[in-house]
Amino acid sequence: MSPRHLSRSEFLALTGLLSGATLWPRGASAATPSTTPVPTGKPATVTPKPSPVSTAALRRSCRAALAPGAPVDPGAELIRIGEWIQSRGLEQDFYGNSAFIEEFEARLAKLLGAEDACFMPTGTMGQLIALRIYADASGNRNVGMHPSSHHVLHENNSHEVLHGLRDVLIAPWNRPVLGSDVRGARESLGTVSVELPVRWLGGQLPTWAQLEDLKRTCRSRGVKLHMDGARLWECQPYYQRSYADICRGFDSVYVSFYKTVGALGGAVLAGKRDFIRSARMWRHRHGGNVFQMLPYVASAAMRLDDALARIPEQVRRAKLLAEALAADERLTVLPRPPPTNMFRVYLRGDPAELSARRDLIAREDKVWVANGFGPTRVPGVSETELQVSDELGDVSEEAAAQAFRKLLSPA
Amino acid sequence: MSPRHLSRSEFLALTGLLSGATLWPRGASAATPSTTPVPTGKPATVTPKPSPVSTAALRRSCRAALAPGAPVDPGAELIRIGEWIQSRGLEQDFYGNSAFIEEFEARLAKLLGAEDACFMPTGTMGQLIALRIYADASGNRNVGMHPSSHHVLHENNSHEVLHGLRDVLIAPWNRPVLGSDVRGARESLGTVSVELPVRWLGGQLPTWAQLEDLKRTCRSRGVKLHMDGARLWECQPYYQRSYADICRGFDSVYVSFYKTVGALGGAVLAGKRDFIRSARMWRHRHGGNVFQMLPYVASAAMRLDDALARIPEQVRRAKLLAEALAADERLTVLPRPPPTNMFRVYLRGDPAELSARRDLIAREDKVWVANGFGPTRVPGVSETELQVSDELGDVSEEAAAQAFRKLLSPA
C-alpha cells in the first residue's frame, strides 16, 4: 500500500499523537490534542500518567531541552510586555484598531512581500478565512493539500463544517506537495494550501526549484496558492533567500508568533489589499475581533527580530544533533539533514514507557530529551518531534544525543 | 408603518450609528462599526472630523464622562494583571487549558446557575457557537430574535454565511421579545435568542412575569432559549434576584467581560455540560483557541467582583441623570426610568455638529457628555447612548445634565 493510500481515518488517528501533548491537559488545544490513551496489552507495567503540574515542574528543573515548550512565568512575561508598551507610549487599541497595530501589520506585510496584512488571534482562523475567500470568489470549494495538513489533522474538520470546503489530498504522506501533484490532481482545484516546512515530515521542504515549479503551476492554472507558514521563519537558512522572495508567487501567507517567536499567541495573514480587507470582515465573522489585541501584538513585536536572528544558529545545531542521534542505528531521523531547526526521531518503545524514561533522564541528567511520544503505523515503533531552541542551552549536541539515547535502555 | 415592518435594510442602515464610534478608527470593530458619513446638505458648515488621537486626548482631559470608554494606559494595565498573576502564582495556560481557567469557568457556571462554562475570546464567537449547536441538534436553522440583535446588526451576517442560520425577526423594534412573540411566530423556531437588557432600546428589560412567560413558552414548545447577556450584569438591580435565578430557564447564557467589567476582552458561554463540551470543539473550529488566554481570563477574574458590586449605585445614578435630562422637553429619554445603568437620549441636531459641540463642552467644562451621535429615522433627530460608570466621577447628576444640555445651544 503506497503512502498515498493511507486512509483518512488513518490520518485522523494520528491527530492524538503529537509531541508535547502529555504536557498539556484537556483536549481543546489547537495544534496539540492530548494524547489518546494507547492500549499496551501490558496493564501491569503501565506507568501512571504524570500530572501536568509535576511534569511541568520536572521539566523546569532541567538545564537543557531537546524540544521547546517549557512553561514561562506568565505574570513576569505580562509585566515585561506592559513595560515595553509603556516605554513606547502605545495607546490602547479597540478591536485590533490602533496606529501601532497598523504599523505592525504593515511591517509584516513588507517582510513577507505582501500588499497588506491582518493580525489574527490564531492561525486556524486566518487560514480558514483565506481558503473561504478564495472558494467564494472562484466558486470552486476544492482545496488541494497534504494529508498532514493542519486542516485535515488538527481542526475538527472546520474547513468542511464551517466553510463548506473539501480537502483534496493531492500528495503522498511522505514528501511535500509538488507542482506535479497539482498537474496530476484528479479533481479541479480552486486553491492549493501548502505547509512550509511540513511539520509532520520533520520540517521537510521542497527544493527551491520544486517550490518555483509549484508556484508556476498554480499561477498558470489559475489556482490560488496559500502558504501555511506556521514555521516559515525556520526555513530561511535553507533557501538562503529573503522571506519576501520565498513568499513571492503565493497569493497569501500565514505566519505564527507563538511558536519560535515565543509570543502570547496570534498570527498574521498577508496578501493582496482587497483580500486582506475581506479577511478583516471574516475575522469579525469568526468572532476574532477581540476587544484589546495589543497584548498579543506587542508581545510578538517585541520578540520578532531577536527570535528571527537566532534561527540560523538553531538550524546549525539541529543538523549536528540530528547526525549525533542518527549515528546510533537504533534511531531513525527524519529528515537527514534537517533543513530547519526541527526533525523527528523514530525509535522502538511504547509511548508511555518512553515518557517514564524521559522523566527518569530528566531527574538524573537534568536534560529534557523529548516532549511526548506517539505511536506510528509500525508496531512497536514510536516517534517524537525534536526542535532546537534556546532551551537546548549550552549542552553539546553530543551530550544531548547521549541523554536521548538513554531512552533506549530499560529504566 | 408599524415598527414590526422596518425593513432589514433599514435595520442594517442603523449599524453605522452606534454611540462611541467616532472615538475609534477603522471599521472592523465588533459592536461599534465606525460612523457612516452623514450627508448634511450643508457642506460649508461640516466640522472636520477630529482625529481619534485628539479626541482621545480631549476625552482624557475631562473630569467626568456620561458614557464610558476612556482609553486606559494599556501598559500599566498589563503590569497590573501581571502582578496579580504573580501574586497568585498562576501557571501558564496552553490554548486556554489551565487549572486557574477551569476554576474561573466553574465559578462563572455557578454564578449563572449553569452546569459548565467555557471562556471565549469574544461574545460574537460564543453566541454563534451556541446557535449552531442547537440548529445542528434540532435540524431547525430558524432562530427567533429581536430586530436589533447583535447577529442582525453587528456581525456581517455571520450566522448566515458561517453557520447557515436564518434569523426570524419575531418582535417589533420598540420592545423586548416576549413569550407572545414566540407563540405568534409564523415560522417554526428551533432557537430563540434574546438580549437582556436590550441595548438598542436603552437597556429595556421585560418584567419578571414577562421573562418567566418567555421561558415557559420556549420550554413548552421545545424551543431552545439563549441569552445574549452582554449586559446581564447590569440588570440584577431591576430584577432583584440572583444571576442564577435570572438565567434559570435559559438553555445557555453569554456574558461579557470587557464592557462594565473592564477586562481586556473575552466572554463566557455557560450551559449544560454536553453543550459546553461541544462548544469547546466549536471554539477550536472558529479559530478561538488562542495559545495563551490567561491574560484575558486573569483580567476578568481580578475585576469581576468589584465591578459587579458597583453596579447598583450606577443604576441609581442613571435614574437620577435620566430624569434630570428628561426634565428638559427638548430631550427624549428612553426608557423612563432606565432599569439599568444605560439609556438613550434623542435630540434635535446633526451628528457631526453635535460632536463638535460635545468637544467644545469638553474643553470648557471638562465634562464628556456623549461618545457619539447617530441619525435616527426621524429627520433632524439624533440619538446617543449614555451609561453611568465610574467615569461619571463626583459631578452631580444635575451638573452632568446641565453640561449635556449645552449640546442644545448653538456653539
Side-chain angles (χ1 to χ4, degrees):
Chain A
M1 191 173 77
S2 91
R4 184 185 282 270
H5 296 107
L6 283 179
S7 75
R8 182 179 187 83
S9 62
E10 282 179 294
F11 297 144
L12 292 175
L14 288 165
T15 59
L17 315 177
L18 205 56
S19 303
T22 55
L23 274 179
W24 303 338
R26 208 153 67 181
S29 74
T32 53
S34 63
T35 300
T36 316
V38 180
T40 64
K42 295 179 291 178
T45 65
V46 172
T47 312
K49 191 174 173 184
S51 77
V53 171
S54 68
T55 303
L58 180 59
R59 185 187 174 129
R60 258 198 299 266
S61 73
C62 290
R63 63 197 162 92
L66 280 62
V72 300
D73 176 340
E77 182 66 13
L78 269 198
I79 291 169
R80 197 181 147 214
I81 299 166
E83 289 170 347
W84 191 88
I85 287 171
Q86 283 193 318
S87 73
R88 276 153 188 79
L90 303 184
E91 297 274 349
Q92 179 191 339
D93 68 302
F94 290 92
Y95 304 106
N97 296 319
S98 79
F100 172 74
I101 294 178
E102 281 181 43
E103 282 163 26
F104 180 75
E105 290 170 336
R107 173 182 161 199
L108 266 289
K110 189 177 174 196
L111 184 65
L112 302 171
E115 287 181 8
D116 202 356
C118 175
F119 189 84
M120 294 279 174
T122 66
T124 298
M125 188 182 296
Q127 297 208 96
L128 287 169
I129 286 171
L131 301 188
R132 171 65 179 253
I133 291 171
Y134 296 141
D136 282 0
S138 70
N140 185 332
R141 308 200 83 75
N142 288 346
V143 184
M145 54 180 80
H146 192 268
S148 75
S149 146
H150 201 265
H151 300 291
V152 177
L153 294 185
H154 303 299
E155 298 176 6
N156 287 309
N157 290 323
S158 185
H159 63 294
E160 291 180 13
V161 294
L162 214 48
H163 291 293
L165 302 170
R166 272 191 68 238
D167 54 87
V168 181
L169 307 184
I170 55 175
W173 178 276
N174 59 0
R175 63 157 174 77
V177 170
L178 300 175
S180 55
D181 297 320
V182 177
R183 293 190 292 273
R186 289 167 299 180
E187 297 190 71
S188 164
L189 302 175
T191 306
V192 165
S193 177
V194 298
E195 189 191 10
L196 217 65
V198 184
R199 180 188 192 176
W200 276 91
L201 299 182
Q204 272 185 60
L205 284 166
T207 65
W208 183 254
Q210 288 171 332
L211 183 62
E212 290 298 289
D213 177 54
L214 174 67
K215 294 172 180 177
R216 269 194 310 271
T217 301
C218 288
R219 192 165 52 243
S220 71
R221 289 165 181 250
V223 174
K224 292 290 181 184
L225 181 60
H226 170 75
M227 185 203 296
D228 174 347
R231 292 164 190 82
L232 169 66
W233 309 126
E234 291 87 328
C235 71
Q236 197 274 333
Y238 174 76
Y239 289 125
Q240 288 291 317
R241 291 169 192 264
S242 71
Y243 295 114
D245 280 348
I246 298 168
C247 295
R248 184 170 299 120
F250 283 89
D251 292 285
S252 48
V253 174
Y254 136 70
V255 290
S256 173
F257 298 119
Y258 75 84
K259 300 180 184 90
T260 286
V261 177
L264 294 178
V268 144
L269 183 66
K272 290 207 184 302
R273 207 170 307 281
D274 285 354
F275 169 85
I276 293 299
R277 189 165 56 230
S278 189
R280 283 187 198 285
M281 182 184 64
W282 278 102
R283 182 180 73 178
H284 183 180
R285 284 176 168 167
H286 260 260
N289 280 5
V290 181
F291 182 57
Q292 290 184 46
M293 298 199 201
L294 178 60
Y296 290 115
V297 180
S299 157
M302 81 177 193
R303 288 170 160 276
L304 185 60
D305 287 342
D306 281 355
L308 298 191
R310 288 195 300 271
I311 288 173
E313 172 66 5
Q314 293 166 358
V315 173
R316 190 189 68 79
R317 296 191 73 187
K319 290 185 203 303
L320 295 175
L321 177 59
E323 287 314 300
L325 290 167
D328 189 312
E329 63 186 10
R330 295 168 297 173
L331 300 175
T332 301
V333 171
L334 177 79
R336 286 183 67 182
T340 73
N341 60 357
M342 67 163 27
F343 56 91
R344 281 176 184 256
V345 183
Y346 300 83
L347 70 169
R348 293 218 161 263
D350 169 81
E353 290 169 5
L354 288 167
S355 293
R357 277 185 224 151
R358 171 203 62 196
D359 292 352
L360 195 67
I361 299 166
R363 280 189 204 93
E364 290 180 353
D365 298 346
K366 303 297 174 197
V367 176
W368 187 255
V369 296
N371 279 337
F373 301 89
T376 68
R377 296 178 67 240
V378 182
V381 175
S382 293
E383 72 174 320
T384 191
E385 175 184 280
L386 301 187
Q387 185 171 22
V388 173
S389 70
D390 289 355
E391 296 178 44
L392 184 54
D394 55 8
V395 301
S396 71
E397 291 75 24
E398 185 44 55
Q402 193 176 340
F404 187 94
R405 280 194 295 267
K406 291 177 76 173
L407 288 168
L408 297 164
S409 326
Chain B
M1 191 173 75
S2 91
R4 184 186 282 271
H5 296 108
L6 283 178
S7 76
R8 182 178 187 84
S9 62
E10 282 179 295
F11 298 143
L12 292 174
L14 288 165
T15 59
L17 315 177
L18 205 56
S19 303
T22 55
L23 273 179
W24 302 338
R26 208 154 66 181
S29 74
T32 53
S34 63
T35 301
T36 316
V38 181
T40 64
K42 296 179 292 178
T45 65
V46 172
T47 311
K49 191 175 172 183
S51 77
V53 172
S54 69
T55 303
L58 179 58
R59 184 186 174 130
R60 258 197 299 266
S61 73
C62 290
R63 63 198 161 92
L66 280 62
V72 300
D73 175 340
E77 182 65 13
L78 271 198
I79 291 170
R80 196 180 148 215
I81 299 166
E83 289 170 347
W84 191 88
I85 288 172
Q86 282 193 318
S87 73
R88 276 152 188 80
L90 303 184
E91 297 273 349
Q92 179 191 338
D93 69 302
F94 290 92
Y95 304 106
N97 296 320
S98 79
F100 172 74
I101 294 179
E102 282 181 43
E103 282 163 25
F104 180 75
E105 290 170 337
R107 172 182 162 199
L108 265 289
K110 189 177 174 196
L111 183 65
L112 302 171
E115 287 181 7
D116 202 356
C118 175
F119 188 83
M120 294 278 174
T122 65
T124 298
M125 188 182 295
Q127 297 208 97
L128 287 169
I129 286 171
L131 301 188
R132 171 66 178 253
I133 291 171
Y134 296 141
D136 282 0
S138 70
N140 185 332
R141 308 200 83 74
N142 288 347
V143 184
M145 54 181 80
H146 191 268
S148 74
S149 146
H150 202 265
H151 301 291
V152 177
L153 294 185
H154 303 299
E155 298 176 6
N156 288 309
N157 290 323
S158 185
H159 63 294
E160 291 180 12
V161 294
L162 213 49
H163 291 293
L165 302 169
R166 272 192 66 238
D167 53 86
V168 181
L169 307 184
I170 55 176
W173 178 276
N174 58 1
R175 63 157 173 76
V177 170
L178 300 176
S180 55
D181 297 319
V182 177
R183 293 190 293 273
R186 288 167 300 180
E187 298 190 71
S188 164
L189 302 174
T191 306
V192 165
S193 177
V194 298
E195 189 191 10
L196 217 65
V198 185
R199 179 187 192 176
W200 276 91
L201 299 182
Q204 272 185 60
L205 285 165
T207 65
W208 183 254
Q210 288 171 332
L211 183 61
E212 290 298 290
D213 178 54
L214 174 67
K215 294 172 180 177
R216 268 194 312 272
T217 301
C218 288
R219 192 166 51 243
S220 71
R221 289 164 182 251
V223 173
K224 291 291 181 184
L225 182 59
H226 171 75
M227 185 203 296
D228 174 347
R231 293 165 190 81
L232 169 65
W233 309 126
E234 291 88 329
C235 71
Q236 197 274 333
Y238 173 75
Y239 289 125
Q240 289 291 316
R241 292 169 192 265
S242 71
Y243 295 114
D245 280 348
I246 297 168
C247 295
R248 184 170 299 119
F250 283 89
D251 293 286
S252 48
V253 174
Y254 135 70
V255 290
S256 172
F257 298 119
Y258 75 83
K259 300 180 183 90
T260 286
V261 177
L264 294 177
V268 144
L269 183 66
K272 291 208 184 300
R273 207 170 308 281
D274 286 353
F275 169 84
I276 293 298
R277 189 166 56 230
S278 189
R280 283 188 198 284
M281 182 184 65
W282 278 102
R283 182 179 73 178
H284 182 179
R285 284 176 168 166
H286 260 260
N289 280 5
V290 183
F291 182 57
Q292 289 185 47
M293 299 197 199
L294 176 61
Y296 291 77
V297 180
S299 158
M302 81 177 193
R303 287 170 160 276
L304 185 61
D305 287 342
D306 281 355
L308 298 192
R310 288 195 300 271
I311 287 173
E313 171 66 5
Q314 293 166 358
V315 173
R316 189 188 69 79
R317 296 192 72 187
K319 290 185 203 304
L320 295 175
L321 178 59
E323 287 314 300
L325 290 167
D328 188 312
E329 62 186 10
R330 296 168 297 174
L331 300 175
T332 301
V333 171
L334 176 79
R336 286 183 67 184
T340 73
N341 60 357
M342 66 162 28
F343 56 90
R344 281 176 184 254
V345 183
Y346 300 83
L347 70 169
R348 294 217 161 263
D350 169 82
E353 289 169 5
L354 288 167
S355 292
R357 277 185 225 151
R358 172 203 61 196
D359 292 352
L360 195 66
I361 299 166
R363 281 189 203 94
E364 289 179 353
D365 297 346
K366 303 297 175 198
V367 176
W368 187 254
V369 296
N371 280 337
F373 301 89
T376 67
R377 296 177 67 241
V378 181
V381 175
S382 293
E383 72 175 320
T384 191
E385 175 184 280
L386 301 186
Q387 185 171 22
V388 173
S389 70
D390 288 356
E391 296 178 44
L392 184 54
D394 55 8
V395 301
S396 71
E397 291 75 24
E398 185 43 56
Q402 193 175 340
F404 187 95
R405 281 194 295 266
K406 291 177 76 173
L407 288 168
L408 297 164
S409 327

